[in-house]
Structure formats: structure tokens, C-alpha cells
Amino acid sequence: MPMGTYQQVKDELKKLGIDDYEVVDHPAAHTTEEADRYIAGREGVRTKTMFLKGKKKKFYMVIMDDKKRIDFHEFQDLTGAKRVSMARPEDLQEQLGLAPGIVSPFGLLNNTAYNVQVYFDQDIVDEPIQTFHPNENTHTIFIKTPDLFKFLKAESYDPEIIDL
């Protein structure tokens, strides 16, 4: 599978008529802490996107505030998922065309199997703007939450909101 690209994200957002977003270009960021330094002082919840694997090759994307830690047992209790752990880099490449550290909802553009269930933590759904790497870690996109949900719906994903 080809790697996801920033151009791919821009093209898709344009096709969907989503053009009210901001992008900050910066040196490659390998952690959320590093990325946050490049975008300090700008409005938008700092997110982290976890790509998880469960029993029987089930995949889950969990989007939450980057300051929070995920409790796998709580996630399993809330979702009914079984034997959940972080997905391996090979799974990430195979399912989303992304490398570790660049995971975001925009990787779903490459998920031709549509086999990923998307979850948002309740804490960030009411935030007006969310931040992500748009398939490359040299940019951070600030996208309005309703536009992000519009993108996910257009890509045939129906995110669930859970209280982590």
C-alpha cells in the first residue's frame, strides 16, 4: 500500500468542500510533545490517535486529548472489544498506509477494507478545533470538529463517542 500523503488529504478535503482549516508546516515531529511545541499558542485541542488491534484482526482508532492515557481494560469494557493492544507497525502500514507517530483519522483514506471502528473520547468532541498530522509529520492541520466528522462520514465511517 502506498504511504498516505499530505497532498492526498488536501485533495480529499477540497473534494468535500472543506476549505476552512489551517495548516502549520514544521520540522518532522515524532511525538505529540514535539508537535505541540511547533504549534504553541494556537487554538485547537491537541489530539493523539491510537491505532489498536483486537481479537480476530479487528482494528480500532481511538482519538483523544494527547494528555490522556488510554486504559485498555476500560476501553474493552466500554466497547466490548476483546484482547486489545497497540497495533503493530506492519498493521498500521497495511491498514492505513502510515508509519508509527503519524496516525490520524486521515489515514482512513487508505483503509480500503473499511475494517476500522473509530472512537472519539467525549472530552474532545465539544472542542471547536482539533489538531492532527495530515498523513505526514511535517505539518499539523487545525480542522473544525464538524468538518472532521463530515470527512469521516464521507469516507463511510460512523465514529462512536465514548467517555474514557
Side-chain angles (χ1 to χ4, degrees), residues 39-148:
I39 57 175
R42 294 172 183 267
E43 185 191 354
V45 65
R46 306 321 193 227
T47 65
K48 74 173 154 197
T49 304
M50 318 273 287
F51 192 60
L52 310 177
K53 184 178 183 177
K55 204 166 120 179
K56 297 187 178 161
K57 276 191 82 104
K58 289 197 185 240
F59 294 99
Y60 310 96
M61 180 176 281
V62 181
I63 301 158
M64 58 198 294
D65 187 303
D66 75 4
K67 288 177 184 58
K68 270 186 135 172
R69 296 190 64 84
I70 190 162
D71 177 330
F72 288 107
H73 296 294
E74 182 185 18
F75 176 76
Q76 290 174 158
D77 290 346
L78 288 168
T79 63
K82 304 279 186 242
R83 292 209 311 259
V84 173
S85 62
M86 295 297 287
R88 296 188 330 257
E90 309 84 84
D91 294 324
L92 189 54
Q93 173 61 41
E94 186 180 304
Q95 302 302 322
L96 303 179
L98 296 176
I102 310 179
V103 184
S104 84
F106 299 110
L108 294 168
L109 286 167
N110 300 312
N111 183 243
T112 51
Y114 296 98
N115 60 345
V116 178
Q117 175 59 54
V118 180
Y119 293 96
F120 278 83
D121 184 20
Q122 177 67 54
D123 283 356
I124 64 169
V125 175
D126 296 329
E127 295 284 342
I129 296 172
Q130 301 197 19
T131 64
F132 300 97
H133 285 314
N135 289 354
E136 293 177 14
N137 66 354
T138 52
H139 314 280
T140 297
I141 187 169
F142 291 72
I143 187 167
K144 291 182 175 167
T145 301
D147 287 341
L148 179 61

Side-chain angles (χ1 to χ4, degrees), residues 14-29:
K14 184 176 182 173
K15 188 176 98 183
L16 297 172
I18 298 171
D19 55 13
D20 187 16
Y21 60 87
E22 184 185 354
V23 174
V24 174
D25 301 323
H26 51 70

